[in-house]
Amino acid sequence: MTLKKYFIRALHRLQKGPGYTYKELLVWYCDNTNTHGPKRIIKEGPKKKLIWFFLTLLFASLVFWQWGILINTYLSYNVTSSLSIGFKTMKFPAVTVCNANPFKYSEVKHLLKELDRLIEAALERILQPTPGNSSENTSPPLDLGLWHQIPLVLIDEHDKDNPVILDIFESNQTALVNETALVNETVAGNETAAGNQTTAGNQTAAPPVPANTTSEEKKYKLAVKLCSHQGSDNCTYRNFTSAAQAVTEWYILQSTSILSRVPLQERIRMGYQAEDMILACLYGAEPCNYKNFTQIYHPDHGNCYIFNWGMDEEALNSSNPGAEFGLKLILDISQQDYIPYLSSAAGARLMLHQQKSFPFLKDQGIYAMAGTETSIGVLVDELERMGYPYSDCTMNGSDVPVKNLYSQYNTSYSIQACLRSCFQNHMVEICGCGHYMFPLPEGVNYCNNEDNPGWAYCYSSLRSSIRHRQICIDSCKETCNDTQYKMTISMADWPSEASEDWIFHILSYERDMSTNVTLDRNGIIKLNIYFQEYNYRTISESAATTIVWLLSSLGGQFGFWMGGSVLCLIEFGEIIIDSLWITIINVISWCRGLKQKRVQARYPDAPPTVSELVEAHTNLGFQHEDAGALPRDEALPPEPGTPPPNYDSLRVQPLDVLGPDSDAE
């Protein structure tokens, strides 16, 4: 009922309003609005009316065009970056140090023995100028089964349309041995198209190359052959610009397959222990030792040790800037125990990062060279990104569709962890096993040549797949808040020639309790890590366009082009509402007219009047004739009519006029 009353009142109000037609309403609006232009249209002469109508239409179009640009700019959610410099006591970063060599060669030699013999024999065949100097005849037979799982091959491209694949360990080696100086050859770095033209097994050797052939005339490449399974024709060849790169890549693939079958605790035991690697430690004025470091196993670098990780204890603050208040370390990398074909670089790998974050040293780490003192001055940059809808960043990774495999370390989210977890998930899904360099999902094993013969082919195809890489990039998000450490690195020889004797004596005695010198310059590294200054930079994002900016810009354009304001918009809204009411009235009138037409079509004769109805009741002879009701001879007698009331009987009359019947009544 309340709604009905309101509707009726609204109709009455409309009837008292500007008019009943759209033309009347439009004239009323132009005459009463505060917007410039419409008044002149109805008050000026014919020519000026046309001019003002054109100007009003033009400027109204400009207003709507500018409004569209402003709204589109606001909905693009652009940001502006501001740089501010602050001064405060800061937390010292977490420092991760690792050896460039993941395992002691003396501990893993029994696992890599056959692999080392294979690569030594292969290099001998590649680089040996004459067959007679080869030492193969005096050596035990080689394990060619291990070789053929992931072999190294030579690609002869003298005829580029029909390249010839030469296996290094084929039976006919006469021609192959004469082909030397492969290290100086340059080849393309991508996979060659010859992979679909080769089969596994021994191939016929190419004709020998003359001794005076120049390196430009030689068309040989050393490549790693990867097949979907052993003996398959579905193979690809990864070739390199140098044979040294090919040998390193081949050795990494083969050693990965071998080490993936070794239990984690055994791999930790074969790595460098903290008490052997960390010889001295000093933080500010407080001494520290290897017990102040947290050990984690890193697949690329073996045992790594993190100082001030903040997992078990509160993170340390730095009291003052400068080298005196930083972290000082002396490390022993034991370079004489390096794996010769796995680690071609010698030194320590280190990285500065936030507390409770996983160190990705392969991407963000730096090397410290042996026999030097490396000083690292640190500057801090704090990044603050705006979240949705201004950027697609995440606070803690909970809204990222990729399962973080590094959460088993209880570390915070990072985009590096997300990308590697995404790649490992694709590896498990497509190849049926996980790569040794990344954490494993539950119920999955690492890939190896015995259980997964085609894993290297699958891994290489997946790594070079742009589609899978783009899927991971689209799925992972940057963190909204991040801290970056900018480093200034300087180095000097350490120890000096004048002081190396007594320093090596002291360090050897403290480590081995021996009076003999067991350390040398090739295995010692000194590190100084400190804040250069306490000024830190904060790079923060803010919205380039806000709702206040949008409203002021919209109002400015409306006021400039048409002299309008918010009240003018309300007036315009009012005329729209009145137009809707007029439309409703017209629709209701149309519906009523349609209903009357339907009634007239159903009853073409006019309905009886009141006098006709009264006559029907007073005149006994007036009867309705119903067609086909009853036969004429069986018609019912007429119903008695009700006489009309005697209005004179209601008058007040004298008593003497009333008759005896009146008393009786």
Side-chain angles (χ1 to χ4, degrees):
M1 291 298 295
T2 304
L3 183 61
K4 182 178 180 181
K5 289 180 180 179
Y6 177 78
F7 184 72
I8 293 174
R9 289 178 182 176
L11 291 178
H12 286 309
R13 180 255 174 206
L14 180 61
Q15 292 174 357
K16 298 178 182 179
Y20 296 103
T21 64
Y22 296 108
K23 182 179 180 180
E24 293 175 354
L25 181 63
L26 185 60
V27 171
W28 176 86
Y29 170 75
C30 293
D31 191 34
N32 293 276
T33 182
N34 291 318
T35 306
H36 302 326
K39 288 183 179 180
R40 308 297 295 268
I41 296 176
I42 63 173
K43 291 185 178 181
E44 298 292 344
K47 294 181 180 180
K48 287 189 176 181
K49 279 184 179 181
L50 182 61
I51 294 174
W52 278 104
F53 176 77
F54 174 75
L55 292 176
T56 303
L57 184 63
L58 174 63
F59 293 144
S61 302
L62 287 174
V63 168
F64 286 113
W65 175 56
Q66 291 292 329
W67 280 6
I69 294 175
L70 293 172
I71 293 173
N72 184 60
T73 302
Y74 174 75
L75 295 179
S76 62
Y77 299 109
N78 295 323
V79 298
T80 57
S81 299
S82 59
L83 175 64
S84 60
I85 299 177
F87 181 85
K88 67 177 181 180
T89 299
M90 293 181 291
K91 291 183 179 180
F92 196 78
V95 180
T96 299
V97 292
C98 312
N99 203 319
N101 183 61
F103 305 105
K104 293 181 178 180
Y105 188 52
S106 58
E107 298 290 341
V108 298
K109 191 173 183 179
H110 64 286
L111 298 174
L112 306 177
K113 181 179 179 181
E114 290 299 326
L115 193 61
D116 292 343
R117 293 183 63 244
L118 279 173
I119 195 61
E120 288 171 359
L123 291 175
E124 215 173 281
R125 286 174 176 265
I126 294 172
L127 303 175
Q128 191 76 329
T130 58
N133 295 336
S134 176
S135 59
E136 281 184 45
N137 297 331
T138 60
S139 303
L142 298 174
D143 185 5
L144 294 181
L146 180 62
W147 172 265
H148 287 303
Q149 290 174 348
I150 305 177
L152 277 172
V153 296
L154 287 169
I155 302 178
D156 180 4
E157 289 189 340
H158 284 88
D159 185 0
K160 291 187 177 182
D161 296 331
N162 297 295
V164 179
I165 309 300
L166 305 174
D167 193 343
I168 294 177
F169 288 108
E170 61 184 340
S171 56
N172 183 11
Q173 298 293 336
T174 304
L176 186 60
V177 170
N178 292 330
E179 299 165 5
T180 59
L182 282 169
V183 179
N184 295 326
E185 298 176 7
T186 57
V187 294
N190 298 326
E191 295 178 358
T192 155
N196 296 327
Q197 303 174 2
T198 10
T199 57
N202 297 332
Q203 287 90 9
T204 304
V209 180
N212 58 353
T213 303
T214 61
S215 59
E216 289 78 5
E217 295 174 341
K218 295 179 182 179
K219 301 294 182 181
Y220 291 94
K221 295 189 254 188
L222 188 62
V224 179
K225 181 181 178 181
L226 303 175
C227 298
S228 57
H229 57 273
Q230 193 168 351
S232 171
D233 293 340
N234 185 20
C235 301
T236 59
Y237 295 84
R238 293 196 59 210
N239 47 70
F240 304 87
T241 57
S242 171
Q245 294 175 331
V247 169
T248 302
E249 181 71 14
W250 177 85
Y251 197 91
I252 290 174
L253 289 174
Q254 291 282 21
S255 62
T256 294
S257 173
I258 296 173
L259 294 172
S260 64
R261 299 194 295 269
V262 179
L264 176 61
Q265 293 301 322
E266 181 66 15
R267 280 179 273 152
I268 293 175
R269 186 194 64 80
M270 294 187 301
Y272 293 86
Q273 306 304 313
E275 55 270 24
D276 298 330
M277 182 176 173
I278 302 172
L279 302 181
C281 176
L282 185 67
Y283 179 70
E286 297 294 329
C288 50
N289 55 33
Y290 68 90
K291 296 181 181 179
N292 299 107
F293 290 76
T294 304
Q295 183 268 336
I296 64 167
Y297 178 78
H298 200 286
D300 288 307
H301 301 285
N303 293 337
C304 293
Y305 302 95
I306 307 177
F307 178 80
N308 195 33
W309 203 12
M311 285 294 186
D312 302 324
E313 299 178 356
E314 190 70 21
L316 300 174
N317 293 324
S318 180
S319 57
N320 282 301
E324 298 84 2
F325 303 95
L327 177 66
K328 300 180 177 64
L329 294 174
I330 298 178
L331 306 177
D332 177 21
I333 61 172
S334 301
Q335 190 176 158
Q336 69 278 2
D337 209 7
Y338 270 34
I339 302 174
Y341 299 105
L342 184 62
S343 304
S344 56
R349 188 78 166 171
L350 67 143
M351 175 182 168
L352 308 183
H353 54 98
Q354 285 182 281
Q355 279 74 28
K356 298 182 181 180
S357 65
F358 190 86
F360 293 95
L361 292 102
K362 196 169 185 178
D363 298 334
Q364 301 171 331
I366 61 173
Y367 278 111
M369 190 168 62
T372 62
E373 178 177 350
T374 302
S375 296
I376 302 174
V378 182
L379 294 174
V380 180
D381 286 345
E382 295 181 353
L383 304 180
E384 298 177 357
R385 299 182 180 91
M386 296 192 69
Y388 182 84
Y390 295 95
S391 66
D392 194 20
C393 67
T394 179
M395 295 299 297
N396 53 13
S398 58
D399 55 342
V400 176
V402 179
K403 183 180 179 181
N404 185 11
L405 300 178
Y406 289 86
S407 59
Q408 57 184 281
Y409 295 97
N410 296 323
T411 55
S412 58
Y413 171 87
S414 66
I415 190 171
Q416 290 86 2
C418 179
L419 291 174
R420 282 159 178 76
S421 300
C422 180
F423 180 86
Q424 184 74 308
N425 291 331
H426 286 165
M427 182 86 180
V428 171
E429 180 181 353
I430 297 174
C431 305
C433 56
H435 195 274
Y436 169 72
M437 293 298 174
F438 311 115
L440 278 178
E442 294 183 4
V444 181
N445 297 321
Y446 284 123
C447 299
N448 60 78
N449 293 334
E450 294 184 1
D451 300 332
N452 314 96
W455 77 269
Y457 172 85
C458 182
Y459 165 69
S460 179
S461 301
L462 186 61
R463 188 173 65 172
S464 59
S465 172
I466 298 177
R467 184 177 68 87
H468 288 93
R469 191 185 314 163
Q470 190 62 42
I471 291 175
C472 292
I473 292 175
D474 295 338
S475 301
C476 296
K477 300 179 181 180
E478 287 277 5
T479 53
C480 293
N481 298 321
D482 192 15
T483 300
Q484 296 181 353
Y485 298 99
K486 307 296 183 181
M487 294 176 286
T488 303
I489 304 172
S490 60
M491 291 183 294
D493 288 339
W494 186 88
S496 63
E497 294 181 359
S499 58
E500 65 180 1
D501 290 339
W502 68 268
I503 288 179
F504 288 150
H505 270 93
I506 291 177
L507 294 177
S508 300
Y509 178 77
E510 290 176 344
R511 189 185 69 168
D512 304 327
M513 300 300 292
S514 172
T515 57
N516 298 325
V517 177
T518 57
L519 300 174
D520 56 23
R521 183 179 295 275
N522 292 329
I524 293 296
I525 298 174
K526 186 176 182 181
L527 297 175
N528 297 324
I529 304 171
Y530 56 90
F531 283 123
Q532 280 185 291
E533 54 187 27
Y534 268 2
N535 291 338
Y536 67 95
R537 300 188 304 175
T538 301
I539 303 173
S540 58
E541 292 181 347
S542 59
T545 56
T546 61
I547 189 65
V548 175
W549 172 88
L550 178 63
L551 293 177
S552 62
S553 300
L554 294 177
Q557 294 295 327
F558 188 38
F560 177 75
W561 293 108
M562 297 194 68
S565 63
V566 177
L567 294 178
C568 297
L569 295 177
I570 296 176
E571 291 175 353
F572 188 72
E574 181 185 15
I575 191 177
I576 292 177
I577 295 174
D578 291 339
S579 300
L580 291 176
W581 283 124
I582 291 177
T583 304
I584 292 173
I585 289 177
N586 292 336
V587 171
I588 293 175
S589 300
W590 179 79
C591 291
R592 286 179 177 176
L594 184 63
K595 185 177 180 181
Q596 290 178 359
K597 289 181 180 179
R598 290 179 179 176
V599 171
Q600 291 177 359
R602 186 174 181 182
Y603 302 101
D605 297 335
T609 62
V610 176
S611 60
E612 290 177 345
L613 293 175
V614 172
E615 181 69 20
H617 287 282
T618 56
N619 189 356
L620 298 178
F622 181 83
Q623 297 293 334
H624 292 283
E625 293 183 1
D626 297 332
L630 288 173
R632 185 179 299 271
D633 54 352
E634 297 181 4
L636 295 176
E639 296 180 0
T642 303
N646 188 3
Y647 295 101
D648 292 340
S649 64
L650 299 178
R651 295 179 180 177
V652 180
Q653 297 180 2
L655 294 175
D656 54 357
V657 179
L658 297 173
D661 294 336
S662 300
D663 295 336
E665 291 176 0

